[in-house]
Amino acid sequence: MKKSLLLLIAFAFTTLLGNAQSFSDDFESYNAGDYIGENNATWTTWSGTEGGTEDTQVTTAQAHSGTKSVYYASTATTGGPQDCVLPFGGELTVGQFNFEMWMYVNSGTGAYFNFQADNTIGTTWALDTYFNTDLTLQFTSGGGLQLETTYPQGEWFKLRMENNLSTNSWEVFVNDASQGSFSNGEVVIASMDIFPLTGNQFYVDDVNYEYTGYTQPQLNGAMTSIIDMSSGLVGQSVTPSLQVRNLGLTAINSFAVTLDYNGQSHSMDITGINLAPLAFYTVVLDQDFTLGAGTQTATATISNVNGGADNDAMDDLKTLEITPIQPALGKKVVAEEGTGTWCPWCVRGAVFMELLSDRYDEFYVGIAVHNADPMTVTEYDAAIGGFITGYPSGLVDRAGGEFDPSQFEIPFLERIQTTPMTFIQNGATWNAVTRELQVSAMATFQQTVSGNYRMAVVLTEDGVTGTTTDYAQANAYAGGANGEMGGYEILPSPVPASQMVYDHVARAITPSFDGLNNAFTGAQNAGNATAYNTTFTLPAEWDENNVHIVAMVIAPDGTIDNAESVTIAQGVENGYIAGLVLGQNEVVESTFEKQIQLYPNPATDNSFINLNLNNNEKVTVTVMSADGKIVADKSYGELNGNMRLPINLSGLSNGLYLVKVMIGEQLTTMTLVKE
C-alpha cells in the first residue's frame, strides 16, 4: 500500500492552487533503497503496483543535487521491467505546462520516457523521447519525428520542455539552450512514463513540473499547427494541413487561413461550420507546396473569425522552421516488414507501411514479408525471422537492427541521405499468354569499390485479397481500447477476408535473401555496369498490373546499398537488357503456410497449433514470454499428417507470447495474445 509520508515532506510535493498545479521531487527525503512509488503519493507504476520490479529505487551512486537520485536500467530483452509513472493530475488540454528534470545517461547506453495522453495508461502515447547511444535526442509522435537534437552522456544535464497546450507549441531546452520547437500530434498530456529500453542505463534527479490553466476570452480562433511539412525531402510536393482551435467561449462558424512558404502563398475561406469551444478543425489546403532547400519559415495565420477580428491576436499566427532533408542522388530505401494475418498487432504495420509509401513515394520501397498465412514466401519468411524478435517488426535497409513499423520513418530519413555506391535500372519483358516475366536488373557503380557486393530481385504485389478465413486479419485495435489505428479501431477482430486488401506483399525472392554471392567480381571502378537476368512465371491469380519488380544491391556489410522498384509496365518501357543469369523461377503458391495455423488467437485458456504435414518431420514447439523467458518447450519427435497440438495458457499472465514452431529445419515464429 502506498504510504502517506509524502504529505509531511516538503521536498517532494504537489500543489493545487486554483487554476495552477506544480510538483517537485529531488529524492532527498527518501532513504537509499526506497521505492519511490511505495513512499510517494504521486509516483506510481504502469500496472499501479508499487514496491516491486516496475518501481524504481533511490540510490546514492549519483546525484545532481544533494546525495540521492533514482536509477533506471533494463534487465529484460524487451525493456523494463521498471516502468514508473508520474501523473499530472488529469488530462491537460489547455494552458501552459512546463516540465524539467536532470538526467545522467551512462556512456555508451541510452534512455527513454514518454508522455501519455489519457488518464488510462496505455491508451494513447502523446510523445516518445529517445536518448540514443549515438547521442541523438529524438522526439516522436505517432511514429513521426517531431524534433531531433543532441545530448551529452557521462554527465548531468537538464532537460526542459515548455508546452503551450492551448496553441500546441512545444519547445525543448537542453541545459537551458533551446533546441527547437514543434507542434505535436497529440495536444493532451496526462502523465509521464519512464521505461528503460534494452541497454538503457540512466539516472534521474530534480523532477519538476508547473501547470497554469487558460482563461478563455469571448471569441478567439487560434492557429495551432502546420501539418505535413515538418518532415520531408527537398523537392517533394506536399499538401499541407492547417489546424485551428476555438479557444474562446463562442462557437466559430467561419474564418480564413493563409499559408506562406518559400515564395508560395495560398488562402482559403472556411464557412458553414460550427466549431465548439476548445474543439479543433483541420483545413486541408487545396494547393500543393514544394519543399525548398535549406531552412525556411512557414507562416500560417487565421483571420476573419466569424466575420471580423477575434479577442486575442497573439495566437492568430503560427510559424514553423522547415529544413527538409536532401536525399542522396538516386537513393531508395527498402523497408522489409515481418507480418501475418494471425498477428493482431500487425495492422499497425499495414497502416505505417502505407503512410510511408504515400509520404515518400518514389524514395521508399516497402516489402511485407508474411508469416504463416496464405501469402507466405517460405524462404523470405525464414530469413527475415532470423533478424526480428516479434511481429510486426522489420528492417530498414537492413541497417541499425529491427524496428517497429511505427518507427520506420526515423531510420528511413537517415538512410535516404546515405550516398549509394550503385544506381539500378530494372527492365522487363512480359508475355500475357504464358505469364512469363523476364527481368533485367542492371547495377552501375558510382564510385570505385571492392568487396562482396550482391544482387537480389524481389516481386511484390499490391491489392492482394482472398476469400478463405486465413485471409482474415486479427485486429488488436478493434473497439478502440488500444487507441486509434488508421480506421482499424472501428473494424472487428478478426477483420473478415472480404474487407481486407493487402499491399506490398512479398511474392518471390531470387536467388536468396542474401543475394547472389560475389555478383560483381573483383574491384569495381566508377562507371562499371553489370546486368543480371531472371525469369518468373506468375500464377494466374496474381494481378500483373499490381506487381512491382524490386532489385536490390546488398553491400559487403549486409546492408542494402540501393534499390529500384518499377511496375511490370515500367520495366517493359525501360527495356530488357541481356546479361548474366541471376535465377530461373517457377513461382508457385507456398504450401508451408497451409501446414501451420495458431487458433484461437487471442485466447483465454487454450490455443492450438494445427499442423498438416505431408512427410515425417521433427516438430518442436517453444513458447516465450515478451521478456524472452521460455514458459513452455516441448519436442514431439517425428509427426506426419493432420494434428492439433495444445498450448495451455491457464497459468500464464495476460499479454503477448512468442510461439516458435520448428518443423524439420524450418522455423516459424507467431505472436499469441493471452487475454
Side-chain angles (χ1 to χ4, degrees), residues 24-35:
S24 178
D25 198 348
D26 62 6
F27 306 108
E28 295 303 306
S29 61
Y30 307 83
N31 296 316
D34 281 352
Y35 288 101

Side-chain angles (χ1 to χ4, degrees), residues 198-231:
T198 303
N200 284 181
Q201 298 176 14
F202 59 100
Y203 298 84
V204 171
D205 201 0
D206 297 320
V207 179
N208 298 274
Y209 75 75
E210 300 170 345
Y211 172 69
T212 304
Y214 175 76
T215 302
Q216 296 171 255
Q218 192 63 40
L219 179 65
N220 186 21
M223 179 64 66
T224 59
S225 298
I226 304 172
I227 305 171
D228 292 333
M229 292 189 77
S230 59
S231 64

Side-chain angles (χ1 to χ4, degrees), residues 274-298:
N274 184 22
L275 187 61
L278 299 185
F280 291 88
Y281 188 92
T282 299
V283 179
V284 180
L285 297 185
D286 53 9
Q287 176 174 303
D288 290 345
F289 282 69
T290 301
L291 297 179
T295 300
Q296 301 187 55
T297 301

